Amino acid sequence: NFLIEKTKLTSVKIETPLLEEYDFSNDNISKDIIIELKGIVSIRKYQRKALLKMFNKGRARSGVIVLPCGAGKTIVGIATVAILKKVSLIVCNSTVSVEQWVKQFVAWAEISTENIKSYIAGKYYNELSSYPDIVITTYSMISFGGQRAKLSASLLGEIKDREWGIVIFDEVHIVPANVFRKVLGLIKTHCKLGLTATLLREDRKVGDIGFLIGPKLFEANWLDLGKAGYLAMATCVEICCQMPKEFYEHYLTGNGSLRQILCALNPNKARVCDYLIQYHEEKGDRILVFSDNVFALRSYATKMTKAFIYGATGSTERIKILKNFQEKKGQTLFISRIGDTSIDLPEANVIIQISSHYGSRRQEAQRLGRILRPKTRSSKAYFYSLVSSNTDETFYSNKRQQFLISQGYDFKTVTKIKNIDSKKNLVFEKKDQKIELLVQILSNYHKV
C-alpha cells in the first residue's frame, strides 16, 4: 500500500495522475446486488455529465465529483451504486447524514430496505449474518481507535473483511488527512468515489484527496446551475456593523479570544440580525443564523427567543428541533458550525452569518449552499454576512468571499441599514443594555 501511495503521489506531483478503473462489467467474483433507480428519478444534464466522466465502457473510474449543495450529490451517489450493482459502503461525516442517506436510498432506489443498514454509535443492526448490500456509516465509527463494545467490534470487523464494489466518501473535503488514511487503510474496495461541494482546504492538503481517492472527475459552476434553474439565485450582502465606543476600546486593548467575542457579540450587529430576522419572517421566509462562537449563538438565540443547535445539543433534541423547523413550527433557527455540512434543510432561503471560522472560503461556500436548493414558493435566496467594522473580521471576510466570487457571485457591501434606528422592539435599544452586555462579556472572559 505504501509503494502504491508513493507512486500515486509522485504522479500527482509531475501532473500525470494515475487513473484507477474497476472493470465491474466483467467482475464475476464480487457479489451482484439488485438495485435500480425508481422511475420517478430524472437525472439532470449536469448529473449525467458527471456520471459519464466516471463510467466508460463497463469500467468505473475512482475520483471526486464536485457539485454545489442542493445540486443532488446524493442522487449521483445512488446512481453510481445502481449502475455498478455491487455491494456498497457509504461513509459520512455525521450520524444525521447517515440517516439522510438511508432515507434517500429508500426514496429514490428500488431496493429492499432489509438490504440497507446503518452503522452508527448506539445503533447497530443485529444479524451479522445478514450481510446487507449497502452499509452506511461515519468516518469516526471506522477510524475510532479506542476500546469498542463486542457488537461494535464485530460489525467493524465485517466492514473490514468484506470486499466492497464501491466506497462513497461523502463531504470528502472536510476529513482530516490522518483519519482519511486510516479509513482507506482499513477498507478493501474496487472503486472509490468522493463527493463534495468544494475542493477547498485551508491547510492546503486538498492534494491528498487526489492521490488517496483519485482526480477530480467533474465540477459544476454554481452560478451556471442557478441561471439554468437548478439552484436558487442568491443575493450576497456584507453588512458592516460599527462597534459602540465602549466595546471598541476593549477590542483595541484585548487579546485574540476577547476580540473574537466582542466582534461576535457586537450589540449593533445583534440589532441588524434582529432587524433582518423580523423583516424576512414578515415575508414568510425561513432563516438560518450561523455562529461559530457558541457563547454568541446562545446569547443571540436566548435574547430573541429562537431555537438553537450546537455541538453539545443531544441527538434526540437536535432531531426534534430540525424536524420542527422542517415542519414550519419555527421560521428561524440558530445553528453553530455543525450546520455547515450534512444537515438537510431545504426549506431555508435566508442565511445570516454573525460569526465564522476566520478566513475559511470552504465554510462560506458550504453555508451559502444551505439555501441554494430551488424553492417552490420563491426562487430567491439571501446570504447576509454581518461584519464588525474596522476589526479583524473585515480582513477575514474578504478572504472568505474569494471562492464565491470566483464562481461568479457578487457581494454587495452595506454600511448602514435605513430605518433601523426607528424600528421598534429590536434588541439592545438602549445604551445601558449595551453596557450591561459588555460587563457580562468581560465578567465571563475573566472567569475563564
Side-chain angles (χ1 to χ4, degrees):
N1 284 341
F2 173 75
L3 289 175
I4 293 173
E5 186 176 298
K6 186 177 179 181
T7 303
K8 290 168 67 177
L9 180 58
T10 303
S11 300
V12 170
K13 286 181 177 178
I14 63 175
E15 298 183 354
T16 54
L18 298 178
L19 283 178
E20 291 184 48
E21 292 190 343
Y22 171 35
D23 189 9
F24 65 94
S25 60
N26 292 315
D27 181 4
N28 299 318
I29 299 175
S30 300
K31 177 189 173 184
D32 291 326
I33 65 174
I34 301 172
I35 181 172
E36 298 287 350
L37 289 178
K38 289 184 177 179
I40 59 173
V41 177
S42 176
I43 300 296
R44 296 170 177 172
K45 185 177 179 180
Y46 63 89
Q47 292 171 330
R48 188 173 294 109
K49 284 183 178 179
L51 292 169
L52 287 173
K53 290 289 185 180
M54 182 176 179
F55 294 99
N56 184 34
K57 298 179 180 179
R59 293 173 177 264
R61 291 177 176 175
S62 291
V64 180
I65 291 175
V66 186
L67 292 175
C69 301
K73 291 189 296 293
T74 308
I75 289 290
V76 171
I78 294 171
T80 62
V81 175
I83 294 170
L84 279 173
K85 292 181 171 53
K86 300 291 183 182
V87 289
S88 305
L89 174 67
I90 290 89
V91 192
C92 307
N93 186 49
S94 67
T95 56
V96 173
S97 184
V98 169
E99 297 297 339
Q100 288 174 354
W101 269 90
V102 172
K103 290 178 181 177
Q104 293 293 305
F105 263 104
V106 172
W108 305 116
E110 296 283 1
I111 185 172
S112 169
T113 54
E114 292 299 312
N115 286 321
I116 307 172
K117 300 296 181 182
S118 59
Y119 167 41
I120 56 179
K123 180 182 176 182
Y124 316 114
Y125 53 88
N126 296 319
E127 298 180 14
L128 296 181
S129 59
S130 63
Y131 286 100
D133 295 336
I134 297 169
V135 174
I136 308 173
T137 186
T138 63
Y139 293 102
S140 58
M141 288 299 293
I142 296 177
S143 63
F144 176 67
Q147 188 174 0
R148 296 174 181 269
K150 184 177 179 181
L151 179 57
S152 175
S154 298
L155 291 166
L156 178 63
E158 180 186 318
I159 288 176
K160 289 165 60 178
D161 293 340
R162 294 185 74 177
E163 189 171 293
W164 301 95
I166 185 171
V167 176
I168 297 176
F169 299 97
D170 194 23
E171 305 290 0
V172 68
H173 63 286
I174 64 173
V175 186
N178 59 330
V179 173
F180 203 67
R181 287 173 184 270
K182 190 171 184 179
V183 170
L184 282 171
L186 292 171
I187 297 171
K188 297 189 289 284
T189 181
H190 291 285
C191 183
K192 302 184 290 288
L193 172 63
L195 296 175
T196 182
T198 58
L199 266 181
L200 290 172
R201 286 184 69 104
E202 303 307 325
D203 60 6
R204 299 184 181 179
K205 290 185 177 180
V206 70
D208 289 0
I209 297 173
F211 74 85
L212 289 172
I213 294 185
K216 179 172 66 177
L217 300 173
F218 179 81
E219 181 173 9
N221 179 273
W222 295 38
L223 203 60
D224 288 346
L225 296 188
K227 290 177 179 177
Y230 295 122
L231 298 178
M233 292 298 291
T235 299
C236 301
V237 183
E238 177 185 277
I239 302 179
C240 301
C241 309
Q242 290 287 343
M243 272 191 189
K245 178 183 175 182
E246 297 80 5
F247 275 71
Y248 198 61
E249 287 175 351
H250 284 282
Y251 173 84
L252 292 175
T253 58
N255 63 16
S257 56
L258 177 59
R259 288 159 71 100
Q260 285 180 29
I261 190 64
L262 287 171
C263 284
L265 275 172
N266 175 358
N268 290 334
K269 183 188 285 190
R271 286 177 57 77
V272 171
C273 180
D274 196 12
Y275 177 89
L276 291 172
I277 288 173
Q278 292 187 33
Y279 172 77
H280 282 286
E281 283 190 343
E282 287 172 3
K283 292 175 61 179
D285 294 326
R286 314 297 300 288
I287 307 154
L288 294 177
V289 183
F290 276 97
S291 174
D292 274 38
N293 189 292
V294 173
F295 181 52
L297 175 80
R298 297 181 65 173
S299 299
Y300 274 68
T302 303
K303 190 80 174 174
M304 301 176 195
T305 61
K306 305 295 182 183
F308 62 92
I309 294 175
Y310 64 109
T313 307
S315 180
T316 303
E317 180 69 11
R318 185 181 303 185
I319 291 171
K320 179 183 176 183
I321 292 172
L322 290 173
K323 186 177 180 182
N324 285 342
F325 184 80
Q326 290 163 348
E327 294 177 352
K328 301 184 179 180
K329 295 178 181 177
Q331 283 183 257
T332 302
L333 174 63
F334 281 74
I335 193 164
S336 71
R337 69 177 66 177
I338 64 170
D340 290 350
T341 59
S342 305
I343 291 182
D344 190 25
L345 294 169
E347 303 81 6
N349 69 315
V350 177
I351 278 181
I352 303 171
Q353 181 174 255
I354 56 177
S355 116
S356 53
H357 185 65
Y358 300 104
S360 174
R361 297 163 297 161
R362 183 187 78 199
Q363 188 184 62
E364 194 92 342
Q366 290 283 351
R367 287 182 174 175
L368 175 61
R370 298 296 97 194
I371 55 173
L372 288 184
R373 188 165 296 177
K375 312 295 185 293
T376 54
R377 193 181 63 83
S378 171
S379 61
K380 290 292 293 180
Y382 301 88
F383 181 88
Y384 299 100
S385 182
L386 310 190
V387 177
S388 292
S389 302
N390 302 312
T391 67
D392 293 339
E393 282 191 342
T394 306
F395 167 75
Y396 290 128
S397 178
N398 290 334
K399 186 175 185 297
R400 291 171 63 84
Q401 295 169 11
Q402 289 175 8
F403 173 76
L404 295 178
I405 291 172
S406 73
Q407 293 289 312
Y409 289 96
D410 291 323
F411 269 84
K412 180 182 178 182
T413 301
V414 174
T415 55
K416 185 170 179 62
I417 296 179
K418 294 180 180 179
N419 305 323
I420 190 170
D421 292 331
S422 60
K423 178 77 172 177
K424 299 297 183 183
N425 301 318
L426 294 181
V427 294
F428 302 114
E429 284 184 323
K430 300 178 180 177
K431 184 175 180 179
D432 60 339
Q433 294 175 325
K434 299 177 182 179
I435 298 299
E436 183 182 346
L437 173 63
L438 178 60
V439 171
Q440 182 186 359
I441 292 171
L442 296 175
S443 175
N444 287 338
Y445 173 75
H446 290 303
K447 284 179 183 178
V448 177

